[in-house]
Amino acid sequence: MNVDTDTQFAYLAGIRDFVENKKAYLQAQVGNPEGADKPNKKYYDPRVWVREGEKTLAARVKVACADLGNVGTYSAPFHLSIATYDFGVTDRL
């Protein structure tokens, strides 16, 4: 298993699938199957298709963690607990 290569491909797969599924919406800024005057910004906005890549990457990481037997094995050291860690916020108030 090459986790780096597998996660890179998983990231690409999410973006690739989004582009294939939304091809009609990615041809121009305005105009799509819903109408000639309908905007497409919510489809070509990078935050949208990058998020699809992030979702497939996260799913692949979960599989890798399960395969490597490290699901549910992390225990945060006491000194890093959010309840005890001082982020220095209070001295700036």
Side-chain angles (χ1 to χ4, degrees):
M1 169 189 318
N2 185 327
V3 176
D4 183 47
T5 301
D6 290 353
T7 54
Q8 288 173 359
F9 190 79
Y11 189 85
L12 169 67
I15 294 172
R16 180 200 62 218
D17 293 347
F18 177 82
V19 170
E20 286 177 0
N21 292 331
K22 303 298 182 188
K23 186 175 182 176
Y25 295 85
L26 300 173
Q27 302 304 307
Q29 288 181 318
V30 178
N32 59 51
E34 298 171 19
D37 62 340
K38 298 289 185 180
N40 296 316
K41 183 165 177 54
K42 65 182 177 182
Y43 300 104
Y44 66 77
D45 183 340
R47 293 171 292 189
V48 175
W49 48 266
V50 165
R51 181 66 185 129
E52 295 303 312
E54 291 170 345
K55 286 192 250 183
T56 52
L57 181 139
R60 181 60 184 98
V61 168
K62 287 180 183 180
V63 170
C65 288
D67 290 347
L68 295 169
N70 67 351
V71 174
T73 61
Y74 178 74
S75 177
F78 179 75
H79 70 280
L80 294 180
S81 168
I82 192 79
T84 61
Y85 188 76
D86 178 12
F87 288 99
V89 174
T90 55
D91 45 68
R92 287 185 287 196
L93 295 176

